[in-house]
Amino acid sequence: MSNKAPLLNVDQEAWLQAFRGITRATDERTLLSGNLPRSGVGNSAPAVDYSNARAVASALVLANLNSLPLDWAARLSVGGVNLNFFIVKQLPVLPPEAYLWRAAHGPTYVELVVPRVLELTYAADELRPFAEDLGYDGPPFAWDEDRRHRLRSELDAIYAHMYRLDRSDLEWILDAEPPSASFPLLKQHELKAFGEYRTSRYVLQAFDQLTRGEAPSLPVTAA
């Protein structure tokens, strides 16, 4: 991860990764990161670059930064509204070698994470360079809100396993008992929109499947 300025090491002809530098612990999520097509960004969207295996490294860190387990840690670390680099650098981001571990049902975690990040990220032709850097030469994936929600939830469950959380830990992170609170705004919005805390159901379902040695139920396929 680099916070050099100017960003001389970023390939401006392709794509870049950035995270939201202005945040609040009361938002649905505290730490938001995404890949962008070639564009200019200001200091409220700090860029992240990698010296080795850039596309794969970006996909793994992108999923990690956006995962609920890491977001929960970020909420305990942000005191104001600025998510500075010194805070991001202290967050428990998993090391590269963790992705070579095998999930209970066989594949390595890198095999589980990268295809899901590809589908969630490559929803428009502007990010074709990122998809091609990952070795994918097909069309962009169709935007399906429910499928995307399931894929994000599967990633949350995968990272819960990678952080060696048990089910009770994950239940607390998703919905801590009063007077504590984990993601209250997310829960409120989903109760209003769906009549249930859908993220909690999706994540716990995927977590249980992984615990049983099964692949998460929703396969990752091109549109």
Side-chain angles (χ1 to χ4, degrees):
M1 183 177 294
S2 170
N3 62 341
K4 296 176 182 177
L7 295 172
L8 298 176
N9 295 327
V10 175
D11 182 359
Q12 299 291 354
E13 296 303 317
W15 52 272
L16 58 89
Q17 181 180 344
F19 65 88
R20 187 180 68 171
I22 305 298
T23 188
R24 297 169 298 181
T26 54
D27 289 344
E28 281 195 9
R29 297 284 186 112
T30 300
L31 178 52
L32 296 174
S33 181
N35 283 2
L36 311 170
R38 178 169 56 109
S39 57
V41 294
N43 63 338
S44 343
V48 181
D49 202 19
Y50 306 88
S51 57
N52 298 301
R54 184 169 179 254
V56 174
S58 174
L60 299 178
V61 174
L62 184 64
N64 197 171
L65 292 180
N66 287 310
S67 69
L68 278 171
L70 189 72
D71 202 280
W72 183 78
R75 285 174 177 244
L76 302 178
S77 305
V78 179
V81 297
N82 293 312
L83 188 60
N84 294 308
F85 257 105
F86 75 87
I87 296 176
V88 176
K89 288 182 175 181
Q90 294 180 69
L91 294 176
V93 176
L94 291 165
E97 57 269 21
Y99 294 92
L100 301 179
W101 302 337
R102 291 194 174 275
H105 72 284
T108 60
Y109 285 113
V110 68
E111 293 174 295
L112 292 175
V113 171
V114 171
R116 288 169 170 80
V117 175
L118 170 63
E119 181 169 346
L120 287 167
T121 304
Y122 186 33
D125 201 59
E126 287 80 0
L127 278 169
R128 181 179 297 275
F130 174 68
E132 291 176 343
D133 286 350
L134 285 176
Y136 179 78
D137 60 1
F141 293 86
W143 189 283
D144 182 316
E145 282 289 352
D146 183 65
R147 181 177 175 83
R148 291 177 62 82
H149 193 172
R150 287 180 179 271
L151 289 172
R152 292 194 303 269
S153 297
E154 289 174 5
L155 286 170
D156 290 333
I158 289 166
Y159 278 93
H161 273 269
M162 292 185 72
Y163 280 110
R164 301 294 194 259
L165 302 179
D166 60 31
R167 200 179 197 276
S168 62
D169 294 328
L170 183 56
E171 289 172 345
W172 181 270
I173 287 173
L174 284 162
D175 193 15
E177 296 180 1
S180 299
S182 299
F183 296 90
L185 199 59
L186 175 63
K187 181 179 179 180
Q188 291 169 21
H189 286 173
E190 291 194 357
L191 287 173
K192 183 176 181 180
F194 310 119
E196 64 166 331
Y197 187 11
R198 197 168 71 171
T199 291
S200 180
R201 177 164 65 87
Y202 282 176
V203 173
L204 290 172
Q205 175 187 348
F207 182 86
D208 290 341
Q209 288 173 325
L210 287 164
T211 301
R212 294 193 297 267
E214 303 169 4
S217 59
L218 192 68
V220 181
T221 57

mmCIF file with all atom_site columns, all heavy atoms in Angstrom, residues 41 49 51 57 60 67 81 107 110 123 155 176 185 198 202 206:
data_model
loop_
_atom_site.group_PDB
_atom_site.id
_atom_site.type_symbol
_atom_site.label_atom_id
_atom_site.label_alt_id
_atom_site.label_comp_id
_atom_site.label_asym_id
_atom_site.label_entity_id
_atom_site.label_seq_id
_atom_site.pdbx_PDB_ins_code
_atom_site.Cartn_x
_atom_site.Cartn_y
_atom_site.Cartn_z
_atom_site.occupancy
_atom_site.B_iso_or_equiv
_atom_site.pdbx_formal_charge
_atom_site.auth_seq_id
_atom_site.auth_comp_id
_atom_site.auth_asym_id
_atom_site.auth_atom_id
_atom_site.pdbx_PDB_model_num
ATOM 1   N N   . VAL A 1 41  ? -8.750  11.756  -8.955  1.00 0.00 ? 41  VAL A N   1
ATOM 2   C CA  . VAL A 1 41  ? -9.365  11.671  -7.633  1.00 0.00 ? 41  VAL A CA  1
ATOM 3   C C   . VAL A 1 41  ? -8.732  12.723  -6.732  1.00 0.00 ? 41  VAL A C   1
ATOM 4   O O   . VAL A 1 41  ? -7.584  13.121  -6.925  1.00 0.00 ? 41  VAL A O   1
ATOM 5   C CB  . VAL A 1 41  ? -9.187  10.269  -7.005  1.00 0.00 ? 41  VAL A CB  1
ATOM 6   C CG1 . VAL A 1 41  ? -9.935  9.220   -7.788  1.00 0.00 ? 41  VAL A CG1 1
ATOM 7   C CG2 . VAL A 1 41  ? -7.713  9.898   -6.901  1.00 0.00 ? 41  VAL A CG2 1
ATOM 8   N N   . ASP A 1 49  ? -1.977  1.487   -4.315  1.00 0.00 ? 49  ASP A N   1
ATOM 9   C CA  . ASP A 1 49  ? -1.314  0.827   -5.427  1.00 0.00 ? 49  ASP A CA  1
ATOM 10  C C   . ASP A 1 49  ? -0.476  -0.333  -4.892  1.00 0.00 ? 49  ASP A C   1
ATOM 11  O O   . ASP A 1 49  ? -0.187  -0.420  -3.693  1.00 0.00 ? 49  ASP A O   1
ATOM 12  C CB  . ASP A 1 49  ? -0.439  1.815   -6.205  1.00 0.00 ? 49  ASP A CB  1
ATOM 13  C CG  . ASP A 1 49  ? -0.170  1.336   -7.619  1.00 0.00 ? 49  ASP A CG  1
ATOM 14  O OD1 . ASP A 1 49  ? -0.923  0.470   -8.111  1.00 0.00 ? 49  ASP A OD1 1
ATOM 15  O OD2 . ASP A 1 49  ? 0.800   1.816   -8.234  1.00 0.00 ? 49  ASP A OD2 1
ATOM 16  N N   . SER A 1 51  ? 2.906   -3.168  -5.802  1.00 0.00 ? 51  SER A N   1
ATOM 17  C CA  . SER A 1 51  ? 4.123   -3.356  -6.585  1.00 0.00 ? 51  SER A CA  1
ATOM 18  C C   . SER A 1 51  ? 4.180   -4.718  -7.253  1.00 0.00 ? 51  SER A C   1
ATOM 19  O O   . SER A 1 51  ? 4.899   -4.904  -8.232  1.00 0.00 ? 51  SER A O   1
ATOM 20  C CB  . SER A 1 51  ? 5.364   -3.164  -5.696  1.00 0.00 ? 51  SER A CB  1
ATOM 21  O OG  . SER A 1 51  ? 5.329   -4.061  -4.593  1.00 0.00 ? 51  SER A OG  1
ATOM 22  N N   . ALA A 1 57  ? -3.699  -8.632  -6.264  1.00 0.00 ? 57  ALA A N   1
ATOM 23  C CA  . ALA A 1 57  ? -3.538  -7.976  -4.963  1.00 0.00 ? 57  ALA A CA  1
ATOM 24  C C   . ALA A 1 57  ? -4.665  -6.989  -4.712  1.00 0.00 ? 57  ALA A C   1
ATOM 25  O O   . ALA A 1 57  ? -5.224  -6.916  -3.612  1.00 0.00 ? 57  ALA A O   1
ATOM 26  C CB  . ALA A 1 57  ? -2.185  -7.267  -4.892  1.00 0.00 ? 57  ALA A CB  1
ATOM 27  N N   . LEU A 1 60  ? -7.926  -8.842  -3.815  1.00 0.00 ? 60  LEU A N   1
ATOM 28  C CA  . LEU A 1 60  ? -7.926  -9.405  -2.465  1.00 0.00 ? 60  LEU A CA  1
ATOM 29  C C   . LEU A 1 60  ? -8.070  -8.328  -1.404  1.00 0.00 ? 60  LEU A C   1
ATOM 30  O O   . LEU A 1 60  ? -8.853  -8.469  -0.461  1.00 0.00 ? 60  LEU A O   1
ATOM 31  C CB  . LEU A 1 60  ? -6.646  -10.208 -2.242  1.00 0.00 ? 60  LEU A CB  1
ATOM 32  C CG  . LEU A 1 60  ? -6.423  -11.401 -3.182  1.00 0.00 ? 60  LEU A CG  1
ATOM 33  C CD1 . LEU A 1 60  ? -5.098  -12.078 -2.874  1.00 0.00 ? 60  LEU A CD1 1
ATOM 34  C CD2 . LEU A 1 60  ? -7.571  -12.390 -3.104  1.00 0.00 ? 60  LEU A CD2 1
ATOM 35  N N   . SER A 1 67  ? -15.045 -5.996  3.722   1.00 0.00 ? 67  SER A N   1
ATOM 36  C CA  . SER A 1 67  ? -15.683 -7.073  4.476   1.00 0.00 ? 67  SER A CA  1
ATOM 37  C C   . SER A 1 67  ? -16.201 -6.569  5.821   1.00 0.00 ? 67  SER A C   1
ATOM 38  O O   . SER A 1 67  ? -15.635 -5.655  6.430   1.00 0.00 ? 67  SER A O   1
ATOM 39  C CB  . SER A 1 67  ? -14.700 -8.224  4.696   1.00 0.00 ? 67  SER A CB  1
ATOM 40  O OG  . SER A 1 67  ? -13.661 -7.854  5.585   1.00 0.00 ? 67  SER A OG  1
ATOM 41  N N   . VAL A 1 81  ? -14.204 11.913  11.448  1.00 0.00 ? 81  VAL A N   1
ATOM 42  C CA  . VAL A 1 81  ? -14.764 11.611  10.132  1.00 0.00 ? 81  VAL A CA  1
ATOM 43  C C   . VAL A 1 81  ? -13.683 11.325  9.098   1.00 0.00 ? 81  VAL A C   1
ATOM 44  O O   . VAL A 1 81  ? -13.996 10.976  7.964   1.00 0.00 ? 81  VAL A O   1
ATOM 45  C CB  . VAL A 1 81  ? -15.651 12.770  9.629   1.00 0.00 ? 81  VAL A CB  1
ATOM 46  C CG1 . VAL A 1 81  ? -16.842 12.974  10.543  1.00 0.00 ? 81  VAL A CG1 1
ATOM 47  C CG2 . VAL A 1 81  ? -14.848 14.061  9.493   1.00 0.00 ? 81  VAL A CG2 1
ATOM 48  N N   . PRO A 1 107 ? -11.109 -25.497 -2.061  1.00 0.00 ? 107 PRO A N   1
ATOM 49  C CA  . PRO A 1 107 ? -10.394 -24.443 -2.789  1.00 0.00 ? 107 PRO A CA  1
ATOM 50  C C   . PRO A 1 107 ? -9.609  -23.529 -1.859  1.00 0.00 ? 107 PRO A C   1
ATOM 51  O O   . PRO A 1 107 ? -9.933  -23.397 -0.676  1.00 0.00 ? 107 PRO A O   1
ATOM 52  C CB  . PRO A 1 107 ? -11.531 -23.667 -3.475  1.00 0.00 ? 107 PRO A CB  1
ATOM 53  C CG  . PRO A 1 107 ? -12.710 -24.566 -3.451  1.00 0.00 ? 107 PRO A CG  1
ATOM 54  C CD  . PRO A 1 107 ? -12.559 -25.406 -2.226  1.00 0.00 ? 107 PRO A CD  1
ATOM 55  N N   . VAL A 1 110 ? -7.990  -17.636 -2.199  1.00 0.00 ? 110 VAL A N   1
ATOM 56  C CA  . VAL A 1 110 ? -7.848  -16.774 -3.368  1.00 0.00 ? 110 VAL A CA  1
ATOM 57  C C   . VAL A 1 110 ? -8.791  -17.227 -4.477  1.00 0.00 ? 110 VAL A C   1
ATOM 58  O O   . VAL A 1 110 ? -9.353  -16.396 -5.215  1.00 0.00 ? 110 VAL A O   1
ATOM 59  C CB  . VAL A 1 110 ? -6.379  -16.732 -3.858  1.00 0.00 ? 110 VAL A CB  1
ATOM 60  C CG1 . VAL A 1 110 ? -5.924  -18.064 -4.421  1.00 0.00 ? 110 VAL A CG1 1
ATOM 61  C CG2 . VAL A 1 110 ? -6.189  -15.632 -4.894  1.00 0.00 ? 110 VAL A CG2 1
ATOM 62  N N   . ALA A 1 123 ? -18.869 -4.470  -13.738 1.00 0.00 ? 123 ALA A N   1
ATOM 63  C CA  . ALA A 1 123 ? -20.266 -4.323  -14.125 1.00 0.00 ? 123 ALA A CA  1
ATOM 64  C C   . ALA A 1 123 ? -20.440 -3.292  -15.241 1.00 0.00 ? 123 ALA A C   1
ATOM 65  O O   . ALA A 1 123 ? -21.559 -3.021  -15.666 1.00 0.00 ? 123 ALA A O   1
ATOM 66  C CB  . ALA A 1 123 ? -21.108 -3.918  -12.920 1.00 0.00 ? 123 ALA A CB  1
ATOM 67  N N   . LEU A 1 155 ? -18.695 -13.121 0.528   1.00 0.00 ? 155 LEU A N   1
ATOM 68  C CA  . LEU A 1 155 ? -17.359 -12.627 0.853   1.00 0.00 ? 155 LEU A CA  1
ATOM 69  C C   . LEU A 1 155 ? -17.235 -12.318 2.341   1.00 0.00 ? 155 LEU A C   1
ATOM 70  O O   . LEU A 1 155 ? -16.199 -12.611 2.964   1.00 0.00 ? 155 LEU A O   1
ATOM 71  C CB  . LEU A 1 155 ? -17.040 -11.388 0.023   1.00 0.00 ? 155 LEU A CB  1
ATOM 72  C CG  . LEU A 1 155 ? -16.727 -11.647 -1.455  1.00 0.00 ? 155 LEU A CG  1
ATOM 73  C CD1 . LEU A 1 155 ? -16.675 -10.336 -2.236  1.00 0.00 ? 155 LEU A CD1 1
ATOM 74  C CD2 . LEU A 1 155 ? -15.398 -12.393 -1.598  1.00 0.00 ? 155 LEU A CD2 1
ATOM 75  N N   . ALA A 1 176 ? -24.841 -6.777  17.329  1.00 0.00 ? 176 ALA A N   1
ATOM 76  C CA  . ALA A 1 176 ? -24.520 -6.840  18.756  1.00 0.00 ? 176 ALA A CA  1
ATOM 77  C C   . ALA A 1 176 ? -25.758 -6.539  19.593  1.00 0.00 ? 176 ALA A C   1
ATOM 78  O O   . ALA A 1 176 ? -26.620 -5.739  19.213  1.00 0.00 ? 176 ALA A O   1
ATOM 79  C CB  . ALA A 1 176 ? -23.411 -5.847  19.087  1.00 0.00 ? 176 ALA A CB  1
ATOM 80  N N   . LEU A 1 185 ? -27.566 1.200   11.278  1.00 0.00 ? 185 LEU A N   1
ATOM 81  C CA  . LEU A 1 185 ? -28.207 1.828   10.129  1.00 0.00 ? 185 LEU A CA  1
ATOM 82  C C   . LEU A 1 185 ? -28.450 0.810   9.021   1.00 0.00 ? 185 LEU A C   1
ATOM 83  O O   . LEU A 1 185 ? -29.492 0.835   8.364   1.00 0.00 ? 185 LEU A O   1
ATOM 84  C CB  . LEU A 1 185 ? -27.351 2.988   9.609   1.00 0.00 ? 185 LEU A CB  1
ATOM 85  C CG  . LEU A 1 185 ? -28.065 4.009   8.718   1.00 0.00 ? 185 LEU A CG  1
ATOM 86  C CD1 . LEU A 1 185 ? -29.226 4.640   9.460   1.00 0.00 ? 185 LEU A CD1 1
ATOM 87  C CD2 . LEU A 1 185 ? -27.089 5.085   8.263   1.00 0.00 ? 185 LEU A CD2 1
ATOM 88  N N   . ARG A 1 198 ? -31.562 -8.717  6.068   1.00 0.00 ? 198 ARG A N   1
ATOM 89  C CA  . ARG A 1 198 ? -31.223 -9.707  5.050   1.00 0.00 ? 198 ARG A CA  1
ATOM 90  C C   . ARG A 1 198 ? -29.732 -10.023 5.013   1.00 0.00 ? 198 ARG A C   1
ATOM 91  O O   . ARG A 1 198 ? -29.339 -11.167 4.787   1.00 0.00 ? 198 ARG A O   1
ATOM 92  C CB  . ARG A 1 198 ? -31.685 -9.215  3.668   1.00 0.00 ? 198 ARG A CB  1
ATOM 93  C CG  . ARG A 1 198 ? -31.759 -10.315 2.638   1.00 0.00 ? 198 ARG A CG  1
ATOM 94  C CD  . ARG A 1 198 ? -32.476 -9.873  1.393   1.00 0.00 ? 198 ARG A CD  1
ATOM 95  N NE  . ARG A 1 198 ? -31.683 -8.914  0.621   1.00 0.00 ? 198 ARG A NE  1
ATOM 96  C CZ  . ARG A 1 198 ? -32.006 -8.509  -0.606  1.00 0.00 ? 198 ARG A CZ  1
ATOM 97  N NH1 . ARG A 1 198 ? -33.126 -8.958  -1.176  1.00 0.00 ? 198 ARG A NH1 1
ATOM 98  N NH2 . ARG A 1 198 ? -31.246 -7.667  -1.248  1.00 0.00 ? 198 ARG A NH2 1
ATOM 99  N N   . TYR A 1 202 ? -28.127 -13.797 4.967   1.00 0.00 ? 202 TYR A N   1
ATOM 100 C CA  . TYR A 1 202 ? -27.262 -14.234 3.877   1.00 0.00 ? 202 TYR A CA  1
ATOM 101 C C   . TYR A 1 202 ? -25.868 -14.611 4.374   1.00 0.00 ? 202 TYR A C   1
ATOM 102 O O   . TYR A 1 202 ? -25.294 -15.618 3.980   1.00 0.00 ? 202 TYR A O   1
ATOM 103 C CB  . TYR A 1 202 ? -27.138 -13.126 2.832   1.00 0.00 ? 202 TYR A CB  1
ATOM 104 C CG  . TYR A 1 202 ? -28.312 -12.967 1.898   1.00 0.00 ? 202 TYR A CG  1
ATOM 105 C CD1 . TYR A 1 202 ? -28.326 -11.933 0.957   1.00 0.00 ? 202 TYR A CD1 1
ATOM 106 C CD2 . TYR A 1 202 ? -29.402 -13.821 1.919   1.00 0.00 ? 202 TYR A CD2 1
ATOM 107 C CE1 . TYR A 1 202 ? -29.385 -11.762 0.078   1.00 0.00 ? 202 TYR A CE1 1
ATOM 108 C CE2 . TYR A 1 202 ? -30.472 -13.656 1.065   1.00 0.00 ? 202 TYR A CE2 1
ATOM 109 C CZ  . TYR A 1 202 ? -30.458 -12.619 0.137   1.00 0.00 ? 202 TYR A CZ  1
ATOM 110 O OH  . TYR A 1 202 ? -31.507 -12.465 -0.731  1.00 0.00 ? 202 TYR A OH  1
ATOM 111 N N   . ALA A 1 206 ? -24.173 -18.435 4.399   1.00 0.00 ? 206 ALA A N   1
ATOM 112 C CA  . ALA A 1 206 ? -22.923 -18.757 3.706   1.00 0.00 ? 206 ALA A CA  1
ATOM 113 C C   . ALA A 1 206 ? -21.866 -19.246 4.691   1.00 0.00 ? 206 ALA A C   1
ATOM 114 O O   . ALA A 1 206 ? -21.095 -20.165 4.389   1.00 0.00 ? 206 ALA A O   1
ATOM 115 C CB  . ALA A 1 206 ? -22.423 -17.530 2.945   1.00 0.00 ? 206 ALA A CB  1
#
